Amino acid sequence: MNNVVILPILIPLLTGIILIFFNKYIKVQRWISFCSTLITVLVAGYLVQTVFTDGIQTLQLGSWKAPFGIVLVADMLAAILVLTASIIVFTCLIYSFRNIGKARESYYYYAAVQFLTVGVLGAFLTGDIFNLFVFFEVMLMSSYVLIVIGGTKIQLRESIKYILVNVISSALFVIAVAYLYAVTGTVNIADLSAKISEIGQPGITTVISILFLIVFGLKGAIFPLFFWLPGSYHAPPIPITALFGALLTKVGVYAIIRTFTIIFYHDTGFTHTLIGILAGFTILVGVIGAVAHWDVKKIIIYNILTAVGVILIGVATLTPTSLAGSIYYLVHDMMIKAALFLLVGAMVVITGTSNLRKMGGLITHHPYLGWMFFIAAISLAGIPPFSGFIGKLLIVQGGLQAEHYVLVGAILLSSLLVLYSVMRIFINGFWGEAKLKKEEEKGTTNGLLFPITLLVAISVTLGIGAEWFYPYIDQAAKGLADPTIYIQAVLKE
């Protein structure tokens, strides 16, 4: 039964290889990608239920047992994120059929998406800090292809910065892993937790933890390491931006959550206080950027930073309640960010511009699109009973329990500014007098509404059905709050 752990990695890997040989047959690529990704979603759903009923699933690769061999670990946190990421890839692929363009489809677009999926899902499932680096590299190499595919001037310009930042980050990652191995003699995450518990938390271990925070902070775009994100995510087409915004930064956030709850949790007075401070500044930068811009893509991109800050406040607080809130909000944000990017993408298709000042009255001819955006906007801001509210409520409760009043205040204030930033899109873009007649519209939303509807429906269900979903989130949070659960499952102690 444990073999199911490797299937979310194996299916997109094999699919990506197969798609390389069909790069000129676009319809064949679409069908193969659709079927493969749907199967991945179903397998991920089965994995979540298996972990919920039977506990953490592990798979030893080769004949070497942990901590000496390579191990894949599906605890509830990893399983939930694998399912969430699979759904996002599925919806973005469907959106791509009508939006990405045949020129990009014939240049290995679908293969690159599958390899990106391998990197993302592998990063969630690996139980080895070095293989986390390996899956990061698979993810990043695929993203390099996706950010330049099409070869527009803005893509080529921004790709240079994006690749340079990630090359430096990857070099730092290898250095950090080498230092950690020198101190502990292992790279297995569970064994690292046990070894650091035994040796205590000397100064060198704290330094290494900060080095990892820099590495994952670059990938997760926390303050002050976010400078590359707004331009890089604005350059590619909308389906790629949605994949990047919903998945790539969240892998960096996941890595921070994993390492600073399982490995580096012995000097929380320093490390987690620092995470809390950086999270607060990340929220500040995010809301300022979202409020200041009139480009609909940039507004949603800066809201990525705000969400990253909110999630990391739950990690900094390190209570079971706040960790549950961080996981809930992470899942919510992945879904709703993908939906919002696809929504503003539909607006750009209709108007031919991402400048909010040049839009207006879209709800006249596109009421369904308008009200879908409204639901997504208030969910993002955390208005009850939607999913954003549940996650923020839990983080705020955990923050108050830990007496982190300033960080709680930052979350509450940011909610108002996030609401203002996205409602500005709704009011200026959809309300008022229509600036384009139906026959003057630049494109059609045919084929674009189904994936958006699916994402928004899941987000609404996460909020309204919170009582049903919470046991899964709670199990994930308990695994983070008590590292011995993870250690015993992996090392079989």
Side-chain angles (χ1 to χ4, degrees):
M1 183 177 288
N2 286 12
N3 290 335
V4 74
V5 178
I6 199 172
L7 289 180
I9 302 172
L10 199 58
I11 294 169
L13 176 62
L14 295 176
T15 304
I17 294 171
I18 292 169
L19 287 172
I20 291 174
F21 298 99
F22 292 95
N23 65 302
K24 299 301 180 185
Y25 303 95
I26 294 173
K27 288 186 178 180
V28 175
Q29 287 190 80
R30 290 176 178 177
W31 275 108
I32 293 174
S33 299
F34 177 88
C35 295
S36 170
T37 311
L38 179 59
I39 292 170
T40 305
V41 171
L42 296 176
V43 169
Y46 176 74
L47 180 61
V48 169
Q49 194 58 37
T50 301
V51 173
F52 184 69
T53 54
D54 300 333
I56 296 174
Q57 303 294 300
T58 62
L59 178 64
Q60 312 284 349
L61 300 179
S63 57
W64 293 90
K65 293 185 178 180
F68 306 107
I70 296 172
V71 62
L72 297 178
V73 184
D75 65 346
M76 184 53 73
L77 173 61
I80 289 173
L81 294 182
V82 165
L83 176 59
T84 305
S86 301
I87 293 171
I88 289 167
V89 173
F90 179 66
T91 53
C92 288
L93 272 176
I94 297 174
Y95 194 94
S96 298
F97 295 163
R98 286 302 189 95
N99 185 265
I100 199 68
K102 291 185 178 179
R104 290 185 172 93
E105 287 179 301
S106 60
Y107 279 91
Y108 308 102
Y109 168 73
Y110 293 112
V113 170
Q114 294 298 326
F115 291 130
L116 182 82
T117 306
V118 172
V120 171
L121 303 190
F124 292 148
L125 289 171
T126 185
D128 183 299
I129 199 76
F130 181 77
N131 282 310
L132 180 62
F133 163 75
V134 172
F135 282 116
F136 262 76
E137 290 307 295
V138 173
M139 177 184 75
L140 289 172
M141 285 187 288
S142 305
S143 71
Y144 299 156
V145 175
L146 290 171
I147 201 171
V148 300
I149 196 168
T152 62
K153 184 177 179 180
I154 186 174
Q155 285 179 270
L156 295 174
R157 185 184 70 235
E158 292 298 335
S159 66
I160 295 171
K161 177 173 62 178
Y162 178 78
I163 293 171
L164 180 62
V165 167
N166 281 293
V167 166
I168 294 170
S169 175
S170 297
L172 289 174
F173 199 165
V174 174
I175 293 169
V177 171
Y179 279 137
L180 190 59
Y181 181 78
V183 171
T184 62
T186 183
V187 290
N188 181 278
I189 293 173
D191 199 37
L192 280 169
S193 182
K195 290 285 176 61
I196 291 178
S197 296
E198 293 170 3
I199 66 174
Q201 184 80 357
I204 185 63
T205 312
T206 303
V207 171
I208 293 169
S209 72
I210 299 305
L211 190 55
F212 273 104
L213 182 59
I214 292 170
V215 170
F216 298 143
L218 267 170
K219 298 183 186 301
I222 67 173
F223 178 88
L225 307 170
F226 67 92
F227 57 89
W228 58 270
L229 183 138
S232 297
Y233 281 19
H234 187 268
I238 277 293
I240 298 172
T241 300
L243 284 170
F244 284 12
L247 299 181
L248 299 198
T249 49
K250 303 309 185 297
V251 174
V253 172
Y254 163 80
I256 293 174
I257 294 173
R258 178 67 76 193
T259 52
F260 283 88
T261 55
I262 299 293
I263 302 174
F264 303 116
Y265 60 93
H266 301 91
D267 189 18
T268 56
F270 179 77
T271 56
H272 289 64
T273 299
L274 179 60
I275 292 173
I277 293 169
L278 296 179
F281 280 110
T282 305
I283 291 175
L284 180 64
V285 170
V287 294
I288 290 174
V291 169
H293 279 88
W294 282 88
D295 184 294
V296 290
K297 288 177 70 175
K298 282 284 182 70
I299 292 171
I300 307 302
I301 286 169
Y302 272 98
N303 273 308
I304 294 173
L305 301 180
T306 305
V308 167
V310 171
I311 294 164
L312 291 182
I313 284 176
V315 179
T317 304
L318 208 63
T319 66
T321 303
S322 65
L323 288 172
S326 288
I327 297 167
Y328 213 110
Y329 197 80
L330 176 58
V331 173
H332 144 81
D333 192 68
M334 291 170 72
M335 290 288 186
I336 212 66
K337 280 296 190 309
L340 282 167
F341 276 119
L342 300 186
L343 281 161
V344 298
M347 295 171 68
V348 172
V349 167
I350 295 166
T351 61
T353 179
S354 60
N355 189 336
L356 191 55
R357 291 189 176 97
K358 297 180 181 179
M359 300 180 186
L362 290 177
I363 205 165
T364 303
H365 303 301
H366 304 276
Y368 184 78
L369 182 68
W371 291 116
M372 290 289 284
F373 185 91
F374 179 79
I375 294 171
I378 60 177
S379 179
L380 178 71
I383 304 298
F386 298 104
S387 54
F389 171 75
I390 308 298
K392 282 188 178 179
L393 178 64
L394 292 170
I395 295 172
V396 166
Q397 286 179 339
L400 292 175
Q401 290 170 5
E403 299 181 352
H404 290 177
Y405 302 120
V406 174
L407 295 179
V408 168
I411 292 175
L412 298 177
L413 180 60
S414 71
S415 297
L416 297 175
L417 295 174
V418 167
L419 180 63
Y420 170 75
S421 70
V422 286
M423 289 308 293
R424 197 156 52 103
I425 297 177
F426 180 72
I427 293 169
N428 290 277
F430 288 97
W431 226 241
E433 184 180 351
K435 293 189 177 181
L436 290 176
K437 296 179 181 179
K438 186 69 176 176
E439 58 273 14
E440 294 174 337
E441 292 178 355
K442 312 300 181 184
T444 176
T445 59
N446 291 341
L448 303 182
L449 296 180
F450 171 71
I452 295 171
T453 303
L454 183 60
L455 286 170
V456 173
I458 293 173
S459 177
V460 171
T461 305
L462 279 171
I464 296 174
E467 187 175 353
W468 187 81
F469 288 107
Y470 185 75
Y472 294 84
I473 302 296
D474 185 55
Q475 182 175 323
K478 286 178 178 176
L480 295 179
D482 183 6
T484 58
I485 298 173
Y486 185 93
I487 295 170
Q488 289 172 0
V490 175
L491 301 183
K492 311 297 183 185
E493 293 180 348

